[in-house]
Amino acid sequence: MRCVGQEQASDRAGGFPALRDRLRRLYHGRSIRAQRFQTGMIVIDLSIILFFIVSPILRDLQNFLWIDYAVAAILTADMLARALASTELVRWLRQPTTLVDLFILVTLLFPFSLANLGFLRILRLWTLSRSGMLWRPLHRHGLEEWEDAGRAVVNLVTFLFVATGFIYTFFFRDGAGLAGYVDALYFTVASVTTTGYGDITLPGPGGKLTAIATMLIGITLFVRLAQALFRPHKVTFPCPECGLSRHDSDAVHCKACGHILKIPDEGAV
């Protein structure tokens, strides 16, 4: 009750500090209002990412520029709100996820000048994963053991569509439209899985180097996904002695320094 009363009092208070406090509670809080807000932001972000995925084949539509600028406005508002919600603005600006989002915003503001870099917008999925907001619903429902696997899936999917966008932009775009994009996606998946049907190949030395990079990075991400799915579940519990944060759920000693751990057993009564 006291916490609710403080929130209501803060909401009634005016001024810039009150706005920052309210945004901080919405983005990082655990109240019902914050959970609803965060869920809404996840839906908006995933919708934007879907637009980024299909934007290479929508670029010639008459209303594409308006949609592009609308997404830019949403992303700008989100970044400004996150900046206000941050406790250390300079540190927030230096984070890789913030720099990636700034780059994505620039590509949205100059969609034709930077058309060849538009495929990098899909990195927004990676920044969403790194922010942690995507995984908070798992923690609320006691499913945090799936976070590592979820992150591995996100990394793989991000790479697949970044690679697809790159290959479509530089090798298939002259073929135009949906068919060219499907060919690029097909080639990417065939390369990542090392299937090697050979029915679609990329021309020239650049095409061969692209295929090599796609295979090496893709198989690495597949291995990481397999490890996340099948290795024993680990919990986040910083060691008081050395600070190692990830341990087996039944660990008694820290594997780095041997310090005795007292990891809470969530299943204990």
Side-chain angles (χ1 to χ4, degrees), residues 4-258:
V4 174
Q6 288 176 344
E7 290 187 5
Q8 291 175 346
S10 178
D11 288 343
R12 288 194 297 266
F16 186 70
L19 175 61
R20 294 193 63 184
D21 181 66
R22 184 176 184 182
L23 289 172
R24 192 172 295 118
R25 286 188 280 109
L26 287 175
Y27 274 97
H28 306 294
R30 298 183 179 180
S31 66
I32 298 299
R33 181 191 298 181
Q35 291 178 20
R36 291 174 179 172
F37 173 81
Q38 293 162 15
T39 301
M41 290 303 302
I42 290 174
V43 172
I44 293 173
D45 274 322
L46 292 178
S47 300
I48 291 174
I49 291 164
L50 178 61
F51 167 72
F52 289 161
I53 290 174
V54 301
S55 60
I57 58 179
L58 298 179
R59 193 173 300 277
D60 295 329
L61 294 180
Q62 185 176 2
N63 296 325
F64 174 80
L65 192 59
W66 291 104
I67 301 174
D68 192 89
Y69 285 148
V71 172
I74 294 173
L75 184 57
T76 300
D78 178 54
M79 293 193 67
L80 288 175
R82 290 180 184 275
L84 291 174
S86 65
T87 54
E88 298 181 30
L89 181 59
V90 175
R91 181 181 178 184
W92 177 80
L93 286 172
R94 291 177 178 175
Q95 290 179 352
T97 53
T98 304
L99 296 176
V100 170
D101 283 341
L102 284 172
F103 171 78
I104 293 171
L105 181 59
V106 172
T107 66
L108 287 166
L109 294 175
F110 303 96
F112 295 113
S113 302
L114 301 176
N116 287 342
L117 298 178
F119 65 92
L120 292 174
R121 295 175 180 177
I122 304 165
L123 290 173
R124 174 69 176 176
L125 180 59
W126 175 78
T127 64
L128 178 62
S129 174
R130 293 284 295 178
S131 71
M133 185 178 293
L134 189 62
W135 314 115
R136 288 176 190 170
L138 293 181
H139 289 265
R140 288 199 296 266
H141 293 88
L143 300 174
E144 58 272 4
E145 67 271 14
W146 291 100
E147 181 178 343
D148 288 343
R151 288 182 181 273
V153 170
V154 166
N155 290 339
L156 179 59
V157 171
T158 300
F159 171 74
L160 284 177
F161 283 105
V162 167
T164 297
F166 175 83
I167 292 170
Y168 174 78
T169 299
F170 292 99
F171 294 97
F172 287 97
R173 193 167 182 179
D174 291 339
L178 180 61
Y181 190 80
V182 171
D183 284 343
L185 178 60
Y186 173 80
F187 175 84
T188 302
V189 174
S191 298
V192 167
T193 58
T194 64
T195 304
Y197 291 117
D199 51 344
I200 297 179
T201 58
L202 303 183
K208 292 179 180 178
L209 291 174
T210 300
I212 291 171
T214 302
M215 284 184 271
L216 291 177
I217 299 174
I219 197 64
T220 301
L221 292 175
F222 261 122
V223 171
R224 291 292 299 272
L225 175 58
Q227 289 176 340
L229 287 174
F230 298 110
R231 69 185 177 186
H233 169 59
K234 294 183 180 293
V235 297
T236 300
F237 184 84
C239 173
E241 185 69 23
C242 70
L244 183 68
S245 61
R246 301 289 286 173
H247 301 279
D248 293 333
S249 58
D250 59 350
V252 178
H253 297 86
C254 175
K255 64 181 180 181
C257 67

